[in-house]
Amino acid sequence: MAEIPTSNPEIDEAAPSMLSLVLRKMWHLRMGVLGGLLIFCLIFIALFCPYLSPHDPFKQDITKRLWKPAFMEGGKAEYPLGTDHLGRDLLTRILYGTRISLVVGLAAVILMLTVGVTLGLVAGYFGGKADAVISFLVNCMMGFPFILLAMSLVAVLGASLQNIIIALGLTGWPVFTRVTRIETMKLRDREFVLAAKSLAFSTRRILARHILPNLLPAILVLATVEVARAIIRESLLSFLGLGIQPPTPSWGVMLAEGRDYMLLQWWLAAFPGMAIFMSALGINLLGDALRDLVDPYLRKT
Amino acid sequence: MERPAPECRLPSNSFPAASPGDGFLLRVQGLKKHFPIYKGLLGRTVGYVYAVDGVSFAIRKGETLGLVGESGCGKSTIGRCLLRLYEPTAGEIFFQGTDIGKLNPGEMIRFRTKMQMIFQDPYSSLNPRLRVREIIGEALRVHHLVPEGDWTDRVRQLLAEVGLQPDHMARYPHEFSGGQRQRIGVARSLAMNPDLIVADEPVSALDVSIQAQVINLLDSLKEKHGLSYIVIAHDLAVVEHISDRIAVMYLGKLVETARDRDLYLNPKHPYTEALLSAVPIPAPGGRERRKSRKLIQGDVASPINPPSGCRFHTRCPKMMEECRRIDPPLIEIGPEHHVACLLQGGGRS
């Protein structure tokens, strides 16, 4: 007969240590931790790419063009991911591309947030005519194909980093307005907002301190997803030649350049594509975990 | 019945004093609130919900008025109109002799400090993202009600007054029970040093065992701070304990107002009688009284299309033919006892 233990040592252990609590929490949010690590790597690379990259991203050497990656037969350890059609190091260009992607993603989303959340708050809180006008505008924007709008904006403004951000920001805000408007409408009639009104707080204070913080979880999750989308859209615009212009190393530009060599030199398109995928994945995983953390009802568990 | 009016203690208060000879803290005259009903693509107004349709009453300083009626009869709307959370459609509200309907926004802010509200649902009335310290203290800081730096002490003091611990300050609302949350709501109102508190169904969302505690808390604070209350409830038993006078409402109108005892012992309006016999009787011998219960049938008529004449005639057990035509006014039939019913001579005078 097997002996039945009278007590489980793991359960008996008195108050769990801080470390084990943290570890348990991290296990609970393991996907978020993975996302966080990916994002951390991304930011680290963006900040320190001059020190990390083996070569100059702009230095062309026609004699070294289309070398294979180091892990393939004929590849050189000097160029770990091979070289492109102008003999530039692929790894170096991918590392430098991180900067463009992060800057565009973050700046575009900040622009979307400013426009979208403000309009959403106004439409949701005041309702009436303001809501009618803003909602109509949102519906028009949503019905308009993104590519067409972004293309015309870039065509008018000219293709530059700054204008890409403006184009992405001005096409992306309606999602934020929608979410903010609906959530604000739900909160507007809650009794704590009525209480704030009867305490004679200004409308600005009610919006900033009583409504906006309660919208944060929804907005935060949306914002992270939108960073990923903005990165993908920047690549798309650059791929079409409407975004970042060569020779600046943007992942989209590199995809476009690699397209011509897809059949034989597949790595030219595959590695920038993977970079886009990994960043978008990391941001989305982090966004999901953040939502769980920000929710005050889950904070104590 | 009247209590001596305590001094107003709000230091920063420069609001004009009550007009002499009036004697009422709050006087409401012909208050109406009609909510428009929109329909169609262009948002045409197709009708109105006559939530409150001509209500007049008054409260003395230190008095508690219970406002009772079925759900949907406009009780809460009155409460929200008083605080101008809703803009009244018509009527005048005099607070300490000043018509608050005519105040500009700046004056309204000073006025707001004197009238506060306690809400029905303690789970919805506290901002879930603020700590208790901020929920109670925000008004203190925004309106400079205490010297800068003293506000946490004041919050501590307010918490003690409503029976909570000082260390509750650092917690979030979701860490409290319903009764405790309602106490936080009370402390938040007290922070403004109000003269009048409108309690909108203050206990109906709470466990029965907690209800008495909160009611007793309100009662004790009244003495201490010289407060006046308007307690809105659908339950006469709740109002009975705390009120000096009771006003019974039906479908946007007052049907009877009387002193606490008069109403219970000598109800004049058929609707009041029906409400009273719906109160459970825990005492022995209740079985006898139960036989004489007068329960009314059916639902409240629609406030969108209220019945002609007396609004209660569709459900009234004593309905007469002329009730369909004549809308009885509220007339005085005894000291502080008003009834709106043709049976009591209303309409003939």
Side-chain angles (χ1 to χ4, degrees):
Chain A
M1 276 282 160
E3 205 166 282
I4 301 161
T6 50
S7 65
N8 185 337
E10 275 170 64
I11 290 172
D12 272 1
E13 202 178 328
S17 72
M18 197 63 202
L19 181 72
S20 81
L21 271 179
V22 169
L23 285 177
R24 198 179 303 167
K25 182 104 203 167
M26 281 176 62
W27 176 246
H28 180 66
L29 297 169
R30 54 195 176 276
M31 280 303 161
V33 172
L34 181 66
L37 278 177
L38 280 170
I39 302 305
F40 176 79
C41 290
L42 223 59
I43 293 170
F44 184 82
I45 291 169
L47 287 175
F48 299 107
C49 56
Y51 308 101
L52 295 170
S53 30
H55 299 277
D56 179 340
F58 299 107
K59 197 181 163 230
Q60 303 180 6
D61 188 344
I62 218 75
T63 59
K64 292 177 179 169
R65 76 189 286 270
L66 298 176
W67 281 6
K68 286 181 177 169
F71 54 83
M72 287 171 75
E73 207 180 315
K76 300 229 167 29
E78 211 184 328
Y79 295 91
L81 295 181
T83 59
D84 67 3
H85 62 296
L86 295 173
R88 298 171 294 197
D89 179 36
L90 195 63
L91 178 66
T92 304
R93 286 180 65 77
I94 287 177
L95 293 182
Y96 272 86
T98 317
R99 282 186 167 178
I100 304 278
S101 290
L102 278 189
V103 166
V104 170
L106 287 176
V109 165
I110 287 168
L111 189 60
M112 290 181 213
L113 277 173
T114 324
V115 180
V117 173
T118 311
L119 288 178
L121 278 175
V122 169
Y125 189 76
F126 296 105
K129 290 212 172 71
D131 181 30
V133 171
I134 291 171
S135 294
F136 182 73
L137 197 63
V138 166
N139 286 330
C140 287
M141 295 285 293
M142 292 281 223
F144 214 78
F146 150 77
I147 276 292
L148 206 58
L149 201 59
M151 264 169 60
S152 19
L153 271 170
V154 172
V156 172
L157 298 170
S160 73
L161 182 65
Q162 189 191 327
N163 291 342
I164 302 293
I165 291 168
I166 291 173
L168 288 175
L170 291 186
T171 51
W173 62 265
V175 209
F176 286 94
T177 305
R178 268 206 175 162
V179 171
T180 311
R181 173 177 168 269
I182 292 290
E183 294 291 315
T184 306
M185 283 180 154
K186 277 196 261 174
L187 290 169
R188 182 182 60 184
D189 297 323
R190 289 278 294 275
E191 288 180 342
F192 70 81
V193 175
L194 289 179
K197 274 189 198 168
S198 64
L199 291 169
F201 293 157
S202 63
T203 305
R204 193 194 296 175
R205 170 171 281 269
I206 291 173
L207 285 175
R209 245 175 99 75
H210 295 268
I211 290 188
L212 195 58
N214 285 291
L215 299 174
L216 274 186
I219 293 179
L220 198 71
V221 174
L222 189 61
T224 42
V225 175
E226 285 300 310
V227 169
R229 255 158 73 109
I231 288 177
I232 292 172
R233 286 181 159 186
E234 179 272 317
S235 308
L236 178 64
L237 282 180
S238 301
F239 180 81
L240 294 173
L242 288 160
I244 310 294
Q245 297 302 306
T248 314
S250 145
W251 292 339
V253 170
M254 295 163 73
L255 264 183
E257 290 168 351
R259 191 191 48 172
D260 302 337
Y261 305 91
M262 271 291 249
L263 286 180
L264 294 171
Q265 283 84 23
W266 53 267
W267 58 89
L268 286 179
F271 289 118
M274 212 142 80
I276 296 169
F277 167 70
M278 293 300 269
S279 353
L281 179 72
I283 293 167
N284 279 316
L285 288 178
L286 186 72
D288 263 5
L290 277 182
R291 182 189 47 200
D292 292 351
L293 278 175
V294 163
D295 199 327
Y297 299 99
L298 294 171
R299 200 181 284 172
K300 274 268 161 171
T301 53
Chain B
M1 225 53 221
E2 276 194 65
R3 293 195 175 87
E7 290 295 309
C8 175
R9 293 150 299 96
L10 192 68
S12 65
N13 204 320
S14 52
F15 206 79
S19 67
D22 185 312
F24 290 111
L25 177 69
L26 178 84
R27 201 152 52 81
V28 176
Q29 219 136 47
L31 182 71
K32 290 185 182 179
K33 178 65 189 176
H34 300 164
F35 294 101
I37 307 161
Y38 301 116
K39 216 175 191 173
L41 195 65
L42 300 170
R44 256 177 327 119
T45 305
V46 294
Y48 290 94
V49 178
Y50 298 94
V52 178
D53 205 17
V55 164
S56 305
F57 61 91
I59 300 164
R60 291 185 195 82
K61 192 140 183 100
E63 194 181 32
T64 298
L65 177 75
L67 194 56
V68 254
E70 280 166 283
S71 38
C73 72
K75 304 167 301 211
S76 297
T77 309
I78 289 186
R80 290 178 181 189
C81 282
L82 293 181
L83 277 95
R84 295 224 2 223
L85 294 174
Y86 292 159
E87 216 47 60
T89 309
E92 286 150 337
I93 301 166
F94 292 94
F95 188 78
Q96 298 180 338
T98 310
D99 184 353
I100 66 165
K102 296 201 174 87
L103 297 180
N104 64 39
E107 291 172 318
M108 195 60 206
I109 284 179
R110 272 187 297 155
F111 165 79
R112 275 259 164 87
T113 65
K114 310 183 99 189
M115 221 197 262
Q116 281 302 304
M117 194 151 185
I118 297 169
F119 292 91
Q120 174 174 13
D121 180 5
Y123 291 92
S124 157
S125 63
L126 305 176
N127 186 343
R129 301 217 157 255
L130 296 182
R131 291 173 196 275
V132 171
R133 186 195 299 125
E134 283 132 21
I135 289 173
I136 300 173
E138 189 173 10
L140 297 173
R141 296 166 78 190
V142 171
H143 300 302
H144 308 291
L145 297 177
V146 290
E148 195 66 35
D150 286 357
W151 70 276
T152 37
D153 290 338
R154 178 80 179 117
V155 171
R156 210 167 277 134
Q157 192 188 336
L158 285 164
L159 278 174
E161 284 201 42
V162 298
L164 293 170
Q165 303 301 316
D167 60 317
H168 287 153
M169 278 209 308
R171 298 203 193 158
Y172 286 96
H174 68 91
E175 298 173 54
F176 293 92
S177 69
Q180 285 173 315
R181 281 162 164 255
Q182 202 58 302
R183 286 168 190 267
I184 296 170
V186 173
R188 175 176 60 191
S189 310
L190 280 183
M192 295 287 265
N193 274 325
D195 291 331
L196 175 70
I197 289 184
V198 178
D200 185 2
E201 304 259 10
V203 297
S204 65
L206 303 177
D207 283 351
V208 178
S209 56
I210 311 290
Q211 289 190 351
Q213 291 179 15
V214 173
I215 289 288
N216 287 338
L217 172 71
L218 290 178
D219 224 8
S220 69
L221 290 172
K222 177 181 165 182
E223 302 285 331
K224 208 170 158 193
H225 293 271
L227 295 166
S228 307
Y229 288 126
I230 295 178
V231 179
I232 299 169
H234 60 261
D235 181 358
L236 271 170
V238 167
V239 164
E240 181 180 11
H241 182 76
I242 196 171
S243 302
D244 300 319
R245 265 190 319 134
I246 294 177
V248 181
M249 242 188 125
Y250 185 79
L251 215 62
K253 290 198 167 189
L254 292 182
V255 296
E256 184 164 8
T257 68
R259 284 186 203 148
D260 189 20
R261 292 204 127 250
D262 291 347
L263 191 91
Y264 280 93
L265 298 176
N266 193 15
K268 290 294 184 202
H269 197 282
Y271 182 60
T272 316
E273 285 177 25
L275 275 187
L276 281 172
S277 58
V279 175
I281 305 142
R287 208 171 275 272
E288 303 304 311
R289 245 183 82 187
R290 194 172 300 159
K291 283 179 190 154
S292 63
R293 275 192 173 178
K294 293 159 188 151
L295 295 180
I296 44 173
Q297 306 293 316
D299 286 323
V300 187
S302 163
I304 298 171
N305 190 12
S308 62
C310 173
R311 292 189 169 191
F312 189 55
H313 84 253
T314 52
R315 299 166 80 194
C316 184
K318 298 177 180 172
M319 202 265 283
M320 305 179 295
E321 204 39 50
E322 50 204 322
C323 293
R324 292 183 196 277
R325 292 181 289 108
I326 305 167
D327 187 10
L330 202 64
I331 56 156
E332 188 158 11
I333 58 155
E336 293 197 74
H337 198 154
H338 298 74
V339 176
C341 181
L342 291 177
L343 284 169
Q344 302 300 328
R348 250 164 259 162
S349 54

